[in-house]
Amino acid sequence: MTTRESEQDLEARLAAERLGVPFLVYRDDADQQHIVGLEPGRRSVTLGRREEADVSLPWDPEVSRLHAELSFRAGEWTICDDGWSQNGTWVNELRLTGRRRLSDGDVIRIGRTTLDFYRPGMIGIGPTLVPGELSATPRFSEQQQRILHALCRPLFGDGEGVNPATDEQIEAATGIAAAAVAVELDHLIRALGLEDLPEADRRAEVALLAMRSGLVEADEGG
C-alpha cells in the first residue's frame, strides 16, 4: 500500500491473519482500509464498480462495472479478467492474461485501486524444490517460470560465471519490468523458505534449487 498504515489498520490486519483464512485488503477514496475475508465455502468474489459486485469500487472511474473475479478452485484462489474490463487487471504489475493462481502477498491492481491478497499460514507459491526430485511439478505461474529461466541463464554459460542474472538482465531477456521481477523473486525466496539467508545469497540459492530440481535445464537456460 502507498498509504502509511495506522495502528488501528495494522491491528485489524493482524486480527484477520489470526483467523487463518485468506483475505483481501484495500483502501477506498476516503483512505479507509477495508478487509474482505475469503471464508471457507465462499467460491467466488466479483470485483467491479457496480453496487452488486462483492467488492464494489464505485469511486474508481477506471474500474469497469464488472471488472474481474476471484474463484476458489481445487483449494486455491485464482483471479481472472476474462475480457470484462476495459483497462485490464494487473498482478504484481504484470497484466493478467487468462487465469492466475494467487499467492500470499500478491498485489492486484484494477483501475487506480490496489488490493493485497493474503493467505495466512501458507508458504507462498509452491513446495520447496528438493534436489533430485525431477518428477515434482511446482505450481509456478508462467511469468515465474520465465523469470527462473532467465535467472539461471548465466550459470549455464561456457565461462566461469557463478552469479545469476540481475533484475535488469532478466527484464532485458523476458520483457518483464525489473520492478515486477523483484516482486516475483521475493515471492520465490519466501516460498522456498530462503528468507533467513543473507540477502546477497538468496537469489543464487533460488537458481541452484531450480537447476538441481530439473525445473530449469541447460537448453532452457542458455
Side-chain angles (χ1 to χ4, degrees), residues 1 5 9 13 16 23-27 33-36 108 113-118:
M1 298 177 187
E5 285 186 314
D9 288 344
R13 187 163 60 78
F23 61 96
L24 297 170
V25 180
Y26 68 96
R27 308 189 83 87
Q33 176 177 269
H34 296 262
I35 297 177
V36 179
I108 302 164
T113 304
T114 59
L115 305 96
D116 297 334
F117 174 83
Y118 293 98

Side-chain angles (χ1 to χ4, degrees), residues 15-16 25 32 67 83 119 138 175 199 206 212 220-221:
V25 180
Q32 297 298 306
H67 197 108
R119 190 167 186 182
E199 187 171 352
V206 169
R212 290 170 180 167
E220 295 175 321

Side-chain angles (χ1 to χ4, degrees), residues 148-161:
L148 278 174
H149 294 161
L151 178 74
C152 295
R153 185 169 289 117
L155 305 180
F156 288 109
D158 294 331
E160 296 187 7

